[in-house]
Amino acid sequence: MVETSNGGNLEEHEPVMSEIHLGCPPGLSGPYISKFTFCLPPLDADWSSHGETVSVQGEIELDKDGDIVVPRRPLNRSCCLSIQHNITSSIPNVGLQVWRAELVLSDFVLHKIHTSSEFMGIVSLELGAGTGMVGVILAHVAKTVFITAYSKVDHGDEILDNCAKNVHLNSEMFKYHASVYVRELNWKNSWPPTMDLENWETEKRFSWTSSEVEEVQGASLLLAADVIYSDDLTESFFKTLDRLMSQGSEKELYLALEKRYNFSLDDLDVVANGYSRFQSYLKDTDECESLEHDDSMPFFVGKPIDLTQIPQYVREYNRGNDIEIWQIKYVRRKSPSQ
């Protein structure tokens, strides 16, 4: 592919294909339901004892032969996630496909679920959710998950409908744990979204209520996967982040992306211009420390996650070397009194 100066690759109507098409029959172009398998901790897992030596008080239990009965840790549960997705799509509908960055972010969320209580009982919002896989997995332990995508005027609610389908297909995973909402979030519009209260009942089923908006204000976690592939989209994404992270409680974002290398006519070389543009929005830790002492504008600070420390929980894909996950925080401008 040839990458242009504005980060675009293909015309919007041209088909693109992900590497992930698990079990799909050859020649299939419409939606298909693939099965992704992974392990989840037991429902009664005691996170307070994870990674620590715990002293057990009380009487020692013996079996009928007088031998000590050693308590065994409950086995992890093997789970199967059903995800409806397309094999190919146009650029505006790439959210109908499963991409590797989505699976790596799923691995990251699963690792957090296995090793800590950090995501237990939280409120989270997933941006550009695609098939909704990451949000569905997170719903195993979260209190509330908002799975969001943008409804294209000329493409209808196809991506949002597909997200809702995947939530329904996997609802048994989280029916006792989380409330899951599929909602439209247009990155080019303001946040909070404007709501026509008089006509709300006649609006689409993916519209926000005032109570949901209030709950998002108190969210602590944002997630996004493979939303960095054009300069215009990247700019809109960070504007939306600014609106979300500057309001309400402190939030952090985990963003998975794929570094896509293309031949650039401007550089006459193979480059990852989209990745460079993404990095231009972030300060590193050293810059953050120097800016904290002046009256600077708000900014984003980001650092990559070491993926060698994240096991591959989802079995059916090849992770490769071009996927990264970034932890991104928002540093607010200090008030004059601070």
Side-chain angles (χ1 to χ4, degrees):
M1 288 189 292
V2 176
E3 184 171 273
T4 61
S5 59
N6 69 350
N9 293 321
L10 294 169
E11 295 296 328
E12 285 197 346
H13 65 276
E14 294 189 54
V16 293
M17 177 183 288
S18 164
E19 304 92 338
I20 310 299
H21 35 82
L22 182 66
C24 301
L28 181 70
S29 59
Y32 181 80
I33 296 177
S34 292
K35 306 288 187 180
F36 295 88
T37 53
F38 54 89
C39 289
L40 280 175
L43 288 173
D44 58 349
D46 182 6
W47 295 114
S48 63
S49 64
H50 181 84
E52 301 176 1
T53 300
V54 180
S55 61
V56 179
Q57 299 180 350
E59 296 183 1
I60 296 176
E61 185 180 352
L62 304 177
D63 64 16
K64 62 181 181 179
D65 297 322
D67 297 322
I68 295 176
V69 176
V70 179
R72 299 186 182 277
R73 187 174 181 173
L75 295 175
N76 290 335
R77 296 177 297 121
S78 180
C79 293
C80 183
L81 199 66
S82 300
I83 295 295
Q84 177 175 280
H85 62 105
N86 279 21
I87 313 307
T88 63
S89 71
S90 61
I91 290 290
N93 271 352
V94 290
L96 293 173
Q97 298 189 59
V98 176
W99 300 87
R100 284 193 301 160
E102 184 177 16
L103 296 175
V104 175
L105 188 58
S106 296
D107 279 337
F108 176 79
V109 169
L110 285 164
H111 189 60
K112 287 286 189 180
I113 292 174
H114 273 270
T115 61
S116 78
S117 60
E118 185 176 337
F119 291 168
M120 189 74 67
I122 64 168
V123 176
S124 174
L125 184 144
E126 185 180 4
L127 293 149
T131 64
M133 178 188 293
V134 179
V136 167
I137 292 173
L138 179 62
H140 179 74
V141 295
K143 173 189 174 186
T144 307
V145 177
F146 292 96
I147 297 174
T148 72
Y150 173 38
S151 175
K152 302 283 186 180
V153 174
D154 52 345
H155 289 266
D157 292 334
E158 198 171 355
I159 294 176
L160 290 164
D161 283 332
N162 193 62
C163 281
K165 172 71 172 180
N166 287 327
V167 169
H168 174 72
L169 285 172
N170 299 282
S171 58
E172 288 296 316
M173 278 185 57
F174 52 80
K175 69 176 182 178
Y176 300 116
H177 296 274
S179 299
V180 181
Y181 302 95
V182 176
R183 294 292 178 260
E184 179 181 3
L185 183 54
N186 186 343
W187 299 350
K188 296 185 178 180
N189 291 346
S190 62
W191 176 268
T194 56
M195 290 173 286
D196 184 353
L197 298 179
E198 292 183 0
N199 300 317
W200 186 85
E201 290 187 0
T202 63
E203 291 289 320
K204 298 178 296 183
R205 60 194 176 107
F206 302 118
S207 296
W208 295 84
T209 66
S210 57
S211 62
E212 291 168 0
V213 170
E214 184 177 352
E215 190 166 14
V216 169
Q217 303 287 65
S220 60
L221 176 68
L222 305 178
L223 297 167
D226 220 340
V227 297
I228 305 296
Y229 49 87
S230 79
D231 289 354
D232 290 343
L233 188 69
T234 301
E235 180 180 3
S236 297
F237 176 71
F238 274 96
K239 285 182 177 179
T240 298
L241 279 186
D242 185 87
R243 299 184 190 110
L244 286 167
M245 299 180 83
S246 64
Q247 302 176 32
S249 62
E250 184 175 332
K251 302 171 177 64
E252 66 179 355
L253 164 72
Y254 289 102
L255 181 147
L257 57 84
E258 181 170 357
K259 295 168 69 174
R260 291 184 170 89
Y261 295 91
N262 302 287
F263 185 80
S264 168
L265 292 176
D266 294 333
D267 300 286
L268 295 180
D269 197 2
V270 176
V271 296
N273 276 339
Y275 181 75
S276 299
R277 183 62 182 268
F278 156 73
Q279 287 187 308
S280 71
Y281 286 89
L282 303 177
K283 310 289 186 184
D284 60 28
T285 304
D286 293 337
E287 288 179 289
C288 177
E289 291 177 354
S290 64
L291 288 171
E292 280 182 345
H293 302 290
D294 62 29
D295 190 28
S296 62
M297 296 296 290
F299 57 90
F300 296 99
V301 58
K303 66 175 183 179
I305 301 295
D306 183 2
L307 290 184
T308 64
Q309 302 301 310
I310 309 298
Q312 184 169 329
Y313 293 87
V314 183
R315 301 169 186 168
E316 294 86 0
Y317 80 106
N318 178 12
R319 183 176 288 183
N321 299 315
D322 295 326
I323 307 293
E324 295 183 354
I325 294 180
W326 284 72
Q327 180 191 48
I328 297 174
K329 296 184 178 182
Y330 183 82
V331 180
R332 308 185 190 200
R333 185 174 184 173
K334 293 182 178 180
S335 63
S337 62
Q338 291 181 296

